[in-house]
């Protein structure tokens, strides 16, 4: 039977942290991060769990700082009853301070799973995808997902805004709010007001708040969504090799029981 894990999120602390073992050592708190292609370890944790840092590579993330990561392979990672062998990881000096944790579970950990996140019910389950769609999601509204690329395996979803304008958004359980690009904001006629900054893997970035009158995910419509306009999507699009106009975050996802069918590339939403 799949293991049901309690989760605790709030608007002030919107991140899902899971007790995680790496090479049998732990538990350590790991962020559940669908916006990460590789599972990530801090340098300190990689040393502790004996994962050697191999190839050096430039990493990309929200923010203006340059990031350097080392690639490696963890022999085993386990969390919430799920065990993965030989997991490709990225090793960074530190993760974003706002999230905390010693690592982040990304695509290389989820790729063969159906991930069920019940935000209202405060629980999470990893299902084996070979068992088909879990009963609680049968007949539920769903929209297609796609990977940016095999090299950049993050989840993208097409959303429809007012005036029937479509935009490609990164689906990111590691993001506290929904972000849009200045380009999309201009197309929609949104007027932003200064709203401090957002913090990403590469540090802080100035943000402007605005109200998006309507956002649709398939048959599900959300009215009057407060979003943040952030000038970070040109570099993100270059890194992913495809145009991305926004990030879909906790403020939308937390309204639903969310089903992420990784092998079949579908997003299920039950309100």
């Amino acid at each position: 039977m799949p293991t049901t894990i309690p989760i605790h999120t709030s608007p002030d602390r919107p991140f899902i942290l899971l007790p995680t073992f790496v090479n049998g050592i732990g538990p350590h708190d790991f962020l559940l991060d669908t916006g990460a292609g590789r599972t990530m370890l801090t340098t300190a944790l990689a040393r502790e769990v004996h994962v050697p840092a191999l190839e050096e590579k430039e990493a990309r993330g929200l923010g203006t700082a340059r990031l350097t990561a080392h690639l490696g392979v963890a022999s085993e990672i386990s969390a919430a009853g799920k065990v993965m062998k030989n997991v490709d990881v990225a090793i960074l000096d530190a993760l974003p301070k706002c999230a905390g944790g010693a690592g982040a579970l990304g695509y290389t950990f989820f790729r063969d799973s159906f991930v069920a996140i019940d935000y209202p019910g405060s629980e999470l389950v990893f299902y084996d995808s070979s068992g088909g769609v879990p009963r609680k999601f049968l007949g539920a509204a769903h929209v297609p997902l796609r990977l940016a690329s095999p090299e950049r395996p993050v989840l993208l979803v097409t959303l429809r805004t007012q005036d029937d304008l479509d935009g490609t958004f990164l689906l990111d359980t590691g993001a506290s709010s929904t972000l849009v690009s200045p380009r999309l904001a201009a197309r929609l006629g949104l007027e932003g007001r200064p709203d401090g900054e957002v913090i990403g893997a590469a540090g802080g970035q100035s943000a402007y708040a605005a109200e998006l009158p309507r956002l649709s995910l398939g048959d599900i419509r959300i009215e009057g969504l407060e979003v943040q306009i952030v000038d970070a999507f040109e570099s993100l699009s270059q890194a992913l090799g495809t145009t991305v106009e926004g990030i879909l975050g906790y403020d939308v996802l937390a309204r639903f029981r969310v089903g992420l069918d990784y092998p079949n590339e579908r997003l299920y939403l039950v309100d």
Side-chain angles (χ1 to χ4, degrees):
M1 290 290 292
T3 302
T4 300
I5 298 295
I7 58 174
H8 304 284
T9 61
S10 69
D12 295 329
R13 190 72 175 171
F15 309 107
I16 298 172
L17 293 173
L18 297 178
T20 300
F21 291 81
V22 183
N23 293 344
I25 300 172
H28 298 276
D29 281 339
F30 270 52
L31 174 70
L32 189 153
D33 190 359
T34 59
R38 286 177 180 260
T39 293
M40 296 185 287
L41 312 180
T42 61
T43 300
L45 179 60
R47 292 195 188 103
E48 178 185 343
V49 299
H50 313 297
V51 175
L54 304 175
E55 176 189 354
E56 184 177 301
K57 189 173 183 179
E58 183 180 357
R60 298 292 182 92
L62 189 69
T64 57
R66 292 177 63 88
L67 291 174
T68 298
H70 287 84
L71 307 185
V73 178
S75 298
E76 180 182 286
I77 297 180
S78 61
K82 175 178 173 57
V83 180
M84 284 288 285
K85 303 286 189 179
N86 301 320
V87 182
D88 291 331
V89 300
I91 301 168
L92 295 90
D93 286 340
L95 298 181
K97 293 181 180 179
C98 57
L105 297 170
Y107 173 81
T108 53
F109 184 77
F110 304 132
R111 63 191 178 202
D112 65 349
S113 298
F114 188 111
V115 183
I117 308 170
D118 184 347
Y119 281 97
S122 300
E123 62 182 33
L124 174 144
V125 185
F126 292 131
Y127 292 94
D128 184 341
S129 62
S130 63
V133 178
R135 181 177 301 176
K136 66 178 70 173
F137 291 100
L138 288 174
H142 64 270
V143 295
L145 294 170
R146 67 180 177 90
L147 298 181
S149 71
E151 297 75 26
R152 303 285 186 178
V154 295
L155 297 179
L156 303 179
V157 61
T158 299
L159 306 182
R160 179 155 290 181
T161 59
Q162 76 253 31
D163 302 324
D164 291 334
L165 288 173
D166 289 342
T168 298
F169 281 57
L170 173 66
L171 193 154
D172 192 354
T173 56
S176 59
S177 58
T178 295
L179 312 180
V180 300
S181 69
R183 175 183 167 184
L184 181 58
R187 291 168 63 198
L188 297 173
L190 302 184
E191 294 187 7
R193 60 187 185 277
D195 192 37
E197 65 177 8
V198 296
I199 306 296
Q205 188 121 10
S206 296
Y208 297 84
E211 183 178 292
L212 183 60
R214 186 175 72 249
L215 183 69
S216 298
L217 299 89
D219 295 331
I220 293 176
R221 179 177 294 185
I222 297 171
E223 307 282 351
L225 178 67
E226 187 86 358
V227 299
Q228 292 177 299
I229 304 168
V230 180
D231 189 9
F233 290 95
E234 184 174 343
S235 60
L236 179 60
S237 296
Q238 290 176 351
L240 296 179
T242 188
T243 300
V244 177
E245 297 277 26
I247 292 176
L248 186 68
Y250 170 85
D251 54 347
V252 171
L253 299 175
R255 306 166 188 233
F256 303 101
R257 284 184 288 163
V258 176
L260 298 172
D261 187 344
Y262 273 83
N264 296 303
E265 297 186 355
R266 292 178 180 175
L267 167 64
Y268 290 81
L269 298 170
V270 179
D271 56 14

